Amino acid sequence: MKILCADIGGTSIKAAIIEETGNTIEFKEAPTESALGGSHVMENLIRLLRSYEEEYEAVGISTAGQVDSVKGEIIYANENIPGYTGMKVKAMLEEEFSLPVRVENDVNCAALGEAWFGSGKESTDLICLTYGTGIGGSIIMDRKVYGGESGIAGEFGHMVIHPGGRDCNCGKKGCYESYASARVLVKEAMKMDPGCDNGRKLFQRIQEGDVLMTELLDAWAKEVSYGLVNIIHIFNPALIVLGGGVLEQDLAFEAIRKHTFSQIMNSFKNVRLVKASLGNKAGLLGAASLFLNS
Ligand SMILES: [Zn+2]
């Protein structure tokens, strides 16, 4: 089976034809132009998908925003894509292509990608967390997304870790992502050295022996571990897949592992923490998996 897949992000739309094996044919990328609004994004998406001449049997879409995956509609998208909330993505694409269409949120698609084709392919159940601007999370059971009552379960970034603490974008205080996102790590680094404005520079300073930056990374890894400890004690998962650019760094990953394992109960210590392995292709592969059976 060949599935035409797209991953709609804030800055670019990625697309490819993906086979059941995960084999990826003809990867393409085009600007989302999200500021121009949801209808414009849909036009860009359709143009990109129409540019494929090869045969395919279904269309799988990974997209930013909260998604009703049954109806294939956008429940809510923030101001990054104005007018995207309420977009009937599945209905529009089914009319355009006369093929089965499935739509899922990008965080869930990234987790599905890892579950089917990446670090989680040996496991049927896993938890996936991605540390970036915020913290995204997904719960995968039997290689399907566990969505909860409304399909939006797994908002691990908004667990309250520090009651009454820092303001969060969600309007609450003390959320996990206000302490443990990659954005916060870089923001804290910039307070000490305004030139240290991305993760790559931060890790370069640490490699060069910068003690303050090393301590900062360790303190951040401890914040990351608080969330993981809660998740491990709630779900007793066999596997947690951790993604995001900063987590690709062994120094960060090992510090997180150390702090996490020092805090969990002995009976939970069989959990495995692994790095995500698919990078920015995870969402596309996850979109293809929407048509696969476990
Ligand atoms: Zn929050």
Side-chain angles (χ1 to χ4, degrees):
M1 185 177 192
K2 285 182 176 170
I3 304 145
L4 178 57
C5 296
D7 184 7
I8 306 169
T11 54
S12 77
I13 306 173
K14 301 178 189 74
I17 291 175
I18 297 177
E19 296 177 312
E20 278 165 312
T21 55
N23 184 36
T24 302
I25 303 161
E26 249 195 291
F27 177 80
K28 296 184 186 181
E29 202 164 2
T32 312
E33 300 176 320
S34 52
L36 297 177
S39 301
H40 187 80
V41 169
M42 289 303 292
E43 284 170 25
N44 285 346
L45 170 69
I46 289 169
R47 189 178 314 117
L48 181 62
L49 295 178
R50 278 277 174 221
S51 71
Y52 283 85
E53 288 169 7
E54 194 149 344
E55 291 281 307
Y56 46 86
E57 296 149 70
V59 179
I61 304 292
S62 159
T63 178
Q66 290 178 350
V67 175
D68 179 329
S69 57
V70 177
K71 293 181 183 163
E73 296 177 8
I74 308 300
I75 300 170
Y76 172 75
N78 65 19
E79 66 283 4
N80 292 339
I81 312 182
Y84 197 42
T85 298
M87 190 67 70
K88 296 179 181 352
V89 178
K90 177 179 158 81
M92 286 174 77
L93 296 180
E94 279 177 346
E95 189 172 325
E96 180 75 27
F97 293 93
S98 302
L99 287 172
V101 175
R102 291 186 185 163
V103 184
E104 181 57 272
N105 160 267
D106 53 1
V107 175
N108 287 341
C109 278
L112 284 168
E114 293 291 343
W116 282 88
F117 303 110
S119 297
K121 69 181 173 197
E122 309 300 331
S123 305
T124 52
D125 298 353
L126 58 95
I127 306 278
C128 193
L129 287 116
T130 306
Y131 298 78
T133 312
I135 298 175
S138 286
I139 305 154
I140 305 292
M141 291 178 176
D142 291 331
R143 288 181 156 180
K144 302 271 183 229
V145 173
Y146 171 76
E149 211 274 320
S150 319
I152 52 176
E155 283 284 8
F156 298 126
H158 302 284
M159 293 189 287
V160 177
I161 299 285
H162 295 274
R166 292 175 189 161
D167 289 331
C168 179
N169 290 332
C170 74
K172 290 196 290 128
K173 285 180 185 291
C175 292
Y176 185 38
E177 70 176 35
S178 301
Y179 292 83
S181 66
R183 182 184 63 87
V184 168
L185 174 64
V186 172
K187 200 171 126 191
E188 294 294 313
M190 284 177 72
K191 281 186 194 164
M192 294 198 286
D193 175 357
C196 194
D197 57 1
N198 64 46
R200 195 171 40 78
K201 288 181 190 168
L202 171 65
F203 285 100
Q204 200 175 338
R205 302 280 156 90
I206 292 171
Q207 306 279 11
E208 289 163 6
D210 188 320
V211 175
L212 285 176
M213 292 296 178
T214 305
E215 286 173 3
L216 174 72
L217 178 71
D218 195 63
W220 175 79
K222 201 160 194 181
E223 293 292 345
V224 174
S225 77
Y226 295 149
L228 294 178
V229 167
N230 287 335
I231 291 166
I232 290 166
H233 286 152
I234 293 168
F235 290 98
N236 182 24
L239 183 68
I240 299 186
V241 178
L242 302 174
V246 169
L247 273 292
E248 288 173 19
Q249 298 282 341
D250 286 332
L251 275 173
F253 190 82
E254 290 309 323
I256 291 165
R257 186 202 294 276
K258 178 190 77 181
H259 286 302
T260 303
F261 278 90
S262 73
Q263 296 173 84
I264 53 180
M265 286 187 252
N266 276 335
S267 43
F268 288 79
K269 284 189 173 166
N270 55 353
V271 63
R272 286 195 305 129
L273 301 186
V274 299
K275 292 181 190 178
S277 64
L278 300 175
N280 66 1
K281 300 274 170 63
L284 278 177
L285 287 158
S289 82
L290 298 173
F291 290 93
L292 302 178
N293 295 312
S294 52

